[in-house]
Amino acid sequence: MLLPVTCENWITLSMAATMTPEEIGDLSKKHYNASVASLKLGNEDLMILRVRPDAGVQPHRPGQYSTLGMGHWEPRAPGCQEEVPKPGEEKKLIRRAYSISCSVLDEAGHLPDRVGQDWLEFYIVLVRQAEKAPPALTPRLFLLKEGARVFLGEKIAGHYTLEPVKPTDNVLFLSTGTGEAPHNYMLWELLQRNHQGKILAACGLRYKRDLGYLSIQEELMRRHSNYTYNADGAPSRRPPPGLVDRL
């Protein structure tokens, strides 16, 4: 029985058809230096991805970013904008910078100390359409399975950290969608060091279903009276009167 092949799938197949399994294996060994530790889909377009680097996690601070990558030779998720690869592009690596995220609480509901944690967490949305060029990386990331190999940048960098924040400062985090990733990690740091000031995290988005950490945020508000989480499309505690003005 023959299955229908969409134009997009045909492009992916024709790209792979120019390479042997041995060539693909060699490219993967050359470029990939990390494995998928786990992944969780909030919905079909939203993913929390944990990646375990072969060489261990580099020293870093919450708020910083690293780089994820996959080869052009990898297949793409269906339902995305058509991609027409350029000659020779099939052997190249696609890389994008992503802020490091954090689920704040572990599977047992505790605030972990993260000592010895051997993976990094990323909060990723599937980009199906783009204006300048078809999305290259996220359609490939969304076909990953646990144990799959990927590229993870060895360098972790960025100046967006809590370094200047004092213990009694009020802290305001503003983001949209997956832009709350670094704020989640910084929130973990603030709670870990028993921050005394007020903390308000506000996230703008269109649909409640796109809040991948909502249940955790609600639990954190129940536990910490100085923390407020507000997001469009989701029920949340109202900020105390005058809090935003004071911040």
Side-chain angles (χ1 to χ4, degrees):
M1 177 180 177
L2 293 177
L3 297 177
V5 179
T6 65
C7 181
E8 175 189 308
N9 288 338
W10 170 251
I11 290 172
T12 299
L13 290 172
S14 64
M15 180 189 296
T18 64
M19 303 172 63
T20 66
E22 290 75 17
E23 288 176 317
I24 292 175
D26 288 343
L27 285 169
S28 298
K29 290 179 180 179
K30 176 182 177 181
H31 292 291
Y32 293 167
N33 61 355
S35 299
V36 175
S38 69
L39 54 85
K40 176 183 177 182
L41 291 177
N43 57 57
E44 65 273 16
D45 292 344
L46 189 67
M47 175 170 62
I48 296 174
L49 175 69
R50 291 177 176 176
V51 178
R52 180 178 292 115
D54 297 342
V57 174
Q58 298 297 313
H60 64 281
R61 296 201 62 176
Q64 295 184 309
Y65 64 89
S66 188
T67 306
L68 288 174
M70 294 188 72
H72 270 284
W73 60 86
E74 302 287 5
R76 302 171 78 236
C80 297
Q81 183 178 359
E82 180 180 321
E83 179 186 73
V84 181
K86 299 176 182 177
E89 201 170 49
E90 70 275 5
K91 295 185 178 182
K92 294 183 179 180
L93 196 66
I94 309 160
R95 310 184 201 200
R96 299 289 184 271
Y98 284 95
S99 292
I100 302 169
S101 188
C102 177
S103 291
V104 189
L105 302 177
D106 62 19
E107 287 72 14
H110 301 139
L111 192 69
D113 60 15
R114 298 183 64 87
V115 174
Q117 196 168 80
D118 62 352
W119 44 261
L120 295 175
E121 183 169 302
F122 300 93
Y123 189 31
I124 302 170
V125 64
L126 173 57
V127 180
R128 294 185 179 273
Q129 301 280 334
E131 292 184 4
K132 293 184 178 180
L137 184 56
T138 63
R140 292 174 167 87
L141 290 175
F142 271 72
L143 287 185
L144 287 171
K145 303 293 183 184
E146 187 172 327
R149 299 287 289 168
V150 296
F151 169 82
L152 179 64
E154 296 180 0
K155 183 179 179 181
I156 299 177
H159 301 288
Y160 185 48
T161 70
L162 292 170
E163 185 174 358
V165 176
K166 299 178 178 63
T168 57
D169 285 346
N170 292 330
V171 180
L172 174 62
F173 293 126
L174 298 177
S175 64
T176 59
T178 55
E180 71 174 342
H183 298 160
N184 291 336
Y185 203 174
M186 287 191 276
L187 173 61
W188 167 84
E189 181 179 345
L190 290 171
L191 298 178
Q192 181 70 22
R193 66 192 196 191
N194 194 27
H195 188 74
Q196 298 302 300
K198 293 180 173 63
I199 309 167
L200 170 61
C203 182
L205 75 171
R206 295 179 63 186
Y207 305 110
K208 179 180 176 179
R209 66 193 290 268
D210 293 329
L211 290 169
Y213 295 95
L214 179 58
S215 61
I216 292 175
Q217 300 288 6
E218 291 174 336
E219 176 61 26
L220 291 172
M221 284 196 292
R222 284 190 286 269
R223 297 185 187 185
H224 302 276
S225 60
N226 64 331
Y227 178 57
T228 299
Y229 181 74
N230 272 79
D232 292 345
S236 61
R237 175 194 301 158
R238 288 184 175 275
L243 172 61
V244 175
D245 292 337
R246 293 197 300 275
L247 289 172

